[in-house]
């Protein structure tokens, strides 16, 4: 690599374009300088060399003092000095293809070391013009003898140069997207740990509030006047709903970890039995699928999902004995679950929104409380992590059916 540049006689150095500073910046912005050879560019130069029937074809980027060769078909080096480069001249021209048919007879090149020592005699180069209009370098060919190109060969070089710029743009977009993706993931992680820490840290002051209000009620009940007791119950209610939020948030953030382990192959009944156990003291009739079904899934995640859906079916239900029906089927790709209740139903306009974090349908539960809107968001996140989806069909006053899939 490297050429003796001390013995020039009368050859002309390429001048710098008028917009050289901005052009250089544009070249650097593509983040291609000093990158390794890539098959996608080497295929282009090999193809061009073949089509034009020449020994050498290059994709070049003109850096400050060198011509960096992103692809070099037919030469063993990946850069050469800019001041002896043909490409340095090519980017100064307005023509779509700069051609030197016989460099030995051209006073700009006749004693250029590329000509005298490396026998470059024929050159044709199409500028690589960036979308902002800067000539970054060239797609060019060399031959060791004087020659001409056919019209279609010229056309191929010009058109291919445009394709090469498109590849440059894709390369840049790809790098930007990867960086963006990384940043987004990092931000998401920070946000998650922030929310986790906050909800965790709120627990103990909240526990203090709860026990102090209890103390107040127990010890000072007689000294508090009517309004005082009402205010006290407001504090208790607020603490209770704050507690629900905090617990919900913690569950939401912890739920992600439920799919980090390996799926287990188990009887579906081992899951439904656990779920059933948690509701057995309540006035509720739950029916589960038959007991001999075997599934492969994240056990804890499926428990969490069923738990949330069933307790919603009970919570948003006016019947003295809420009825919940869990059904199951499968095909080669998915497991399908339906959780049907005979509860208050959800108004059509709100059906999509209830899956979003902190969204409720606005109705109070059977105890007259407003929900936190965290449960279904947790359920949806879990299901999507398991490659499935969830949907809802509901008739107000009749009941709702939540249908979800889990990918096998
Ligand atoms: P939360 O119950 O804490 O509000 P969810 O995200 O589980 O949180 O539910 C969001 C909202 O969707 C609830 O507030 C309620 O309005 C509505 N909802 C959920 N499940 C049902 C159901 N089975 N029947 C009627 N409404 C429901």
């Amino acid at each position: 690599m490297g050429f003796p540049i001390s013995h020039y006689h009368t050859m002309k150095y390429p001048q710098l374009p008028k917009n050289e500073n901005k052009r250089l910046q544009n070249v650097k912005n593509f983040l291609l300088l000093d990158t390794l050879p890539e098959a996608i560019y080497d295929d282009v130069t090999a193809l061009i060399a073949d089509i034009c029937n020449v020994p050498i074809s290059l994709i070049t980027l003109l850096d400050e003092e060198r011509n960096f060769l992103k692809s070099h078909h037919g030469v063993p080096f990946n850069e050469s000095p800019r001041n002896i480069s043909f490409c340095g001249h090519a980017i100064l021209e307005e023509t779509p293809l700069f051609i030197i048919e016989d460099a030995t007879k051209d006073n700009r090149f006749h004693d250029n070391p590329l000509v005298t020592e490396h026998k470059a005699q024929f050159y044709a180069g199409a500028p690589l013009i960036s979308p902002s209009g800067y000539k970054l370098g060239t797609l060019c060919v060399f031959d060791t003898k004087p020659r001409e190109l056919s019209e279609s060969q010229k056309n191929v070089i010009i058109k291919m140069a445009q394709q090469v710029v498109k590849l440059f743009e894709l390369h840049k977009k790809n790098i930007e997207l990867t960086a963006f993706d990384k940043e987004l993931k990092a931000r998401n992680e920070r946000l998650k740990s922030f929310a986790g820490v906050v909800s965790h840290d709120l627990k103990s002051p909240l526990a203090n509030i709860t026990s102090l209000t209890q103390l107040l009620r127990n010890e000072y009940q007689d000294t508090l006047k009517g309004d005082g007791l009402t205010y006290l119950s407001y504090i208790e209610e607020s603490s209770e709903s704050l507690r629900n939020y905090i617990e919900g948030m913690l569950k939401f953030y912890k739920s992600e970890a439920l799919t980090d382990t390996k799926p287990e192959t188990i009887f579906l009944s081992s899951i439904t039995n656990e779920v059933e156990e948690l509701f057995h003291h309540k006035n509720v009739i739950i029916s589960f699928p038959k007991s001999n079904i075997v599934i492969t899934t994240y056990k804890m995640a499926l428990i969490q999902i069923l738990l949330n859906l069933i307790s919603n079916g009970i919570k948003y239900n006016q019947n003295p004995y809420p009825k919940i029906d869990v059904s199951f089927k499968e095909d080669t790709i998915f497991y399908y679950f339906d959780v049907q209740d005979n509860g208050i139903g959800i108004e059509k306009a709100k059906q999509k929104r209830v899956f979003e974090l902190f969204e409720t349908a606005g109705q109070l539960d059977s105890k007259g409380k407003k929900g936190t809107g965290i449960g279904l968001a947790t359920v949806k996140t879990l299901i999507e992590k398991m490659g499935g989806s969830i949907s809802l069909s509901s008739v107000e006053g009749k009941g709702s059916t939540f249908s979800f899939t889990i990918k096998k």
Side-chain angles (χ1 to χ4, degrees):
M1 209 202 60
F3 298 90
I5 45 176
S6 52
H7 312 299
Y8 309 142
H9 309 298
T10 56
M11 64 162 278
K12 286 204 169 63
Y13 297 111
Q15 302 205 316
L16 293 180
K18 281 197 203 76
N19 58 12
E20 178 61 8
N21 283 344
K22 287 192 170 152
R23 193 200 65 81
L24 259 180
Q25 195 48 54
N26 202 213
V27 169
K28 288 177 179 154
N29 285 347
F30 278 91
L31 304 170
L32 280 157
L33 290 174
D34 292 315
T35 55
L36 291 171
E38 287 172 71
I40 200 162
Y41 299 104
D42 291 345
D43 285 349
V44 171
T45 48
L47 205 64
I48 289 288
D50 200 26
I51 290 170
C52 298
N53 193 23
V54 291
I56 296 168
S57 170
L58 312 172
I59 291 173
T60 79
L61 288 160
L62 282 154
D63 194 4
E64 224 161 318
E65 294 193 340
R66 62 177 176 156
N67 200 15
F68 172 71
L69 313 182
K70 177 60 196 167
S71 172
H72 47 95
H73 179 91
V75 295
F77 44 87
N78 73 348
E79 61 179 19
S80 66
R82 178 168 173 176
N83 61 3
I84 58 163
S85 74
F86 283 66
C87 302
H89 290 275
I91 64 158
L92 299 173
E93 304 293 324
E94 285 309 316
T95 92
L97 193 64
F98 178 63
I99 301 179
I100 305 293
E101 281 172 3
D102 186 350
T104 57
K105 300 206 175 100
D106 188 307
N107 66 0
R108 289 169 294 184
F109 300 103
H110 69 110
D111 58 355
N112 181 314
L114 292 174
V115 179
T116 54
E117 286 163 39
H118 291 267
K119 313 244 174 309
Q121 212 165 340
F122 171 80
Y123 172 89
L128 301 172
I129 306 174
S130 75
S132 19
Y134 296 105
K135 293 179 181 163
L136 309 169
T138 69
L139 170 63
C140 63
V141 295
F142 282 95
D143 204 344
T144 48
K145 53 182 191 282
R147 53 170 298 162
E148 281 176 22
L149 290 175
S150 73
E151 279 313 304
S152 74
Q153 286 170 324
K154 287 182 194 168
N155 227 344
V156 168
I157 301 177
I158 293 167
K159 284 276 170 333
M160 209 52 137
Q162 292 164 2
Q163 295 307 312
V164 169
V165 174
K166 293 208 172 100
L167 289 178
F168 285 1
E169 281 177 80
L170 281 179
H171 166 86
K172 186 166 162 243
K173 283 239 163 62
N174 216 354
I175 291 179
E176 286 166 353
L177 270 181
T178 312
F180 183 67
D181 191 49
K182 218 172 129 199
E183 169 63 21
L184 209 64
K185 284 207 176 97
R187 253 192 238 183
N188 207 4
E189 280 308 310
R190 282 201 295 273
L191 205 63
K192 248 198 255 170
S193 62
F194 171 74
V197 167
V198 167
S199 10
H200 187 265
D201 290 359
L202 285 176
K203 268 175 101 167
S204 92
L206 183 63
N208 281 343
I209 295 176
T210 313
S211 56
L212 285 171
T213 34
Q214 209 151 31
L215 190 80
L216 215 54
R217 187 180 280 287
N218 293 345
E219 306 268 318
Y220 298 93
Q221 196 154 14
D222 300 337
T223 41
L224 284 171
K225 293 202 210 80
D227 278 354
L229 282 175
T230 314
Y231 297 150
L232 203 57
S233 59
Y234 288 163
I235 296 179
E236 282 163 350
E237 270 171 36
S238 300
S239 323
E240 165 75 8
S241 83
L242 195 54
R243 197 172 64 85
N244 286 339
Y245 266 105
I246 292 170
E247 299 267 299
M249 287 312 288
L250 280 174
K251 266 198 202 128
F252 181 75
Y253 286 110
K254 281 187 188 150
S255 71
E256 294 232 325
L258 296 180
T259 51
D260 288 348
T261 51
K262 277 204 154 183
E264 301 168 61
T265 301
I266 40 171
F267 278 118
L268 178 58
S269 55
S270 72
I271 289 178
T272 54
N273 287 345
E274 270 190 51
V275 174
E276 196 167 22
E277 186 68 15
L278 293 162
F279 291 105
H280 86 274
H281 58 283
K282 297 211 167 166
N283 291 336
V284 52
I285 305 156
I286 311 178
S287 64
F288 286 109
K290 57 182 192 303
S291 61
N292 58 354
I293 300 162
V294 173
I295 62 170
T296 302
T297 192
Y298 299 96
K299 183 177 177 188
M300 292 316 290
L302 185 54
I303 290 180
Q304 180 83 256
I305 292 166
L306 291 172
L307 212 71
N308 268 293
L309 295 178
I310 294 170
S311 54
N312 276 350
I314 301 170
K315 239 174 32 175
Y316 301 102
N317 203 317
Q318 306 285 16
N319 296 292
Y321 283 89
K323 259 187 72 163
I324 314 286
D325 184 38
V326 181
S327 57
F328 169 89
K329 63 180 195 238
E330 63 183 307
D331 60 21
T332 49
I333 309 169
F334 289 108
Y335 299 119
Y336 299 85
F337 290 87
D338 279 347
V339 179
Q340 186 180 10
D341 66 53
N342 60 346
I344 60 174
I346 301 172
E347 156 187 3
K348 187 108 198 119
K350 307 237 165 101
Q351 289 183 7
K352 265 225 161 68
R353 281 214 311 242
V354 291
F355 293 105
E356 283 167 32
L357 191 56
F358 303 130
E359 285 288 345
T360 70
Q363 275 149 306
L364 304 180
D365 67 18
S366 57
K367 291 189 185 135
K369 295 241 169 75
K370 192 171 169 286
T372 59
I374 302 173
L376 289 178
T378 311
V379 165
K380 187 167 187 257
T381 309
L382 277 173
I383 289 173
E384 285 173 355
K385 277 199 119 185
M386 294 197 278
S389 60
I390 182 163
S391 64
L392 155 66
S393 80
S394 180
V395 180
E396 272 185 281
K398 282 237 159 97
S400 316
T401 304
F402 287 85
S403 308
F404 66 93
T405 58
I406 292 176
K407 193 142 196 279
K408 283 186 161 180

